Amino acid sequence: MYRDHNNSELNLSFITKKVTLSGWVQKIRDKGFIIWVDLRDRYGITQLVFDSERTSSALIEQARELGREFVIQVEGEVLERESKNENMSTGDIEVLVEKLTVLNSSETPPFTIEDKTDGGEDLRMKYRYLDIRRNPVKNKLIFRSKVSMAVRNYLSQQDFVEVETPYLIKSTPEGARDFVVPSRMNAGEFYALPQSPQTFKQLLMVGGLDKYFQIVKCFRDEDLRADRQPEFTQIDCEMTFVEQEDILNTFEGLTKHLLKEINGVDVQDFPRMTYDEAMKTYGNDKPDIRFGMKFGELNDVAQHKDFKVFNEAELVVGIAIPGGASYSRKEIDKLIDWVKRPQVGAKGMVYVKFNADGSLKSSVDKFYDETDLKAWAEQTQAQPGDLICVLSGEATATRAQLSALRMEMGNRLGLRKPDEFAPLWVIDFPLLEWDEDTQRYHAMHHPFTSPKVGQIPLLATDPGAVKANAYDLVLNGNEIGGGSIRIHDQKTQAMMFDYLGFTKEEAEAQFGFLMKAFTYGAPPHGGIAFGLDRLVAILGGQESIRDFIAFPKNNSGRDIMIDAPAPIDEEQLKELDLKLRS
Ligand code: ASP
C-alpha cells in the first residue's frame, strides 16, 4: 500500500500513530542536525522530519539525496510540532520518518512548483503537467469538475437525458469554419468536427427523447481572438413542447442552482431585456448590469447648435463617469487617447465636467451653454462630480465605442466585482444580420432559429426588423449561453434556407436529413447551449478561461506541449489520398 492517509489529513488526533504517506518533495530545509521535507500531494502538504538524534545516519544520508519533485513514500510516526503553522490543515503535526522509499527521481523542474511561480506563460504551457501540480491551476480544474457535476445533477433531476452525439460529421456552415478530417476509407471525402451538436439534438427531439443535454466538445476554426479556444466545451441542451418562456425558466433555474451550489449566492433578480433595449442602454448585447453608467442619447439636446460634428452624426450618445469631474486635463486627454486607439476606434470625445458645485464646463463651450449641458446631464443621469463623456458618429460603431469605454471605466473604478453576480436574459434578437462582405443577410443565431409568430411576412419588406425567438444568457458582461426556439416544419425551414441564399440543391445536400426528419412528425422544440469554459471561469471569479482547461491551446491554436498541429508523413498522406501543395 502506497499510503494510508493523504497529505492533508493528519492532525493532533493522530499523535504517536504510525502512518504511511506518498507524494512529491516540495521543499527541503537542511539545518545540518535536522532536515525538514515538505511532502505534497493533491490534497495538501505534510511536514516530514529527519532528526540526527532520533533518525539513523543512513536514513539522514538518504534524505540528503532527495531533490525537488522526487516522488517518495515514507513510513513514520506522527508527532506534535514545536512551532505550529495555523495556515495548514496539518500545521500542528509532523511525521518523524522511519523509512524512506524513493519511488521516482525528478529532474530539477523548469519553474518553481509553488502558488507564486517564476515560470513564464510559455514555459508553463510546455510543462503543463508540472503547472497542474501548482494549487492555482489544480484548484481550477477541481472547480471545473465541481461545476460540471452540479450541472449534471441538476439536469438529471429535471429528467434530461445525457446523450453523446458524433464528432465525425459533415461540414455545414454555422458561422465559423469547420475543422475537417480526411476519410481514409472514402478517399477524397472529409468529415468535419462539429461546431455544435445542433442538428443532432434537434433530431433527438424528433426521436422523442424530450429533454436532452450533453457536456460536449465543439470545434470552430476561427481566427483566434484573445481567450478563445479552437476546441471548447458546451453544456448543450434541447427540450420538446416548449416555448421560449419554458426554456428561460428552466435555465434560469440551472443558473440559480449553480450560483447557490458553487458560489453560495442567492440570486433573486433575473431581469429580461430586449436586444434593442440592451443596445440602446448599454451599447452591447451582453451588458454588465452590475454597474450603471447607462447610455444617454443626446441627439435631441445636442443637434440644434452649430457644432457640425454632432449635427452630422447619426447618433450622439454619452455616459456619466462617477467622480470623473475631478480628473485633470492630462487624465482626460489620456481617456480621449484611449477611445481613439484603433481597438476602440472613436474619432474624438467631447466631455462635460459636472462640477461638485453644480456648474458645468465642457470641451465645446463655444457651442453649448449651461442650459444645454444641463439637458445632457439629465439624459446621462449625471450627478454633480461626474464627467460626461460623449461620442458621436454612425450609430452601431458609436455604441460599440462607448460600450468599450463604459466597460473600461467599470474595470478602472472597480465596479466589476468578481464576487457579485448579475445574470440576465437578452431576448428578442433580430433573426437576421446584414453581412457587408457577402452583401446579404445571414442568420444571426443559426438557420434553424424560428422567427417570432407572425413576422414571416416582414422578411419580404424589412428583413432586418424580423425578430427571432432567440435569447442569450448574460452573466457579468459575458454571454454564457445562447439558444432559440427552432423551426420544426419542413416548409418554413426550406423557406429559411432559400432566404439565406442556399439553392434547393445546396439545402438538400447539407440539410436534407433534417428537413426529411421534419416531415415525420417533428414536435415543437427549442434549446440552449452554455459555454462551459467561460461559465466556469466567471463562477471562479476570473476573466480568463485558459487555466480552467487542463490542456489549452495558445493564441495561435497550438498545443506547445505535444507540439500540435504537426506535419504527417508521406505514407499517411498517400493513404488519405492527399497531396500537399509544394
Ligand atoms: N448550437 C447553438 C450554439 O452553439 C446553441 C443553440 O442554439 O442551442 O450556439
Side-chain angles (χ1 to χ4, degrees), residues 174 195-198 201 218 220 232 234 236-238 445-446 449 479 482-484 486 527-529:
E174 211 187 316
Q195 293 183 31
S196 86
Q198 184 61 39
K201 67 173 169 175
C218 301
R220 294 184 191 173
F232 58 96
Q234 283 189 343
D236 192 44
C237 309
E238 197 76 5
H445 187 51
H446 51 51
T449 295
E479 178 207 326
S484 62
R486 326 299 184 187
I528 190 168

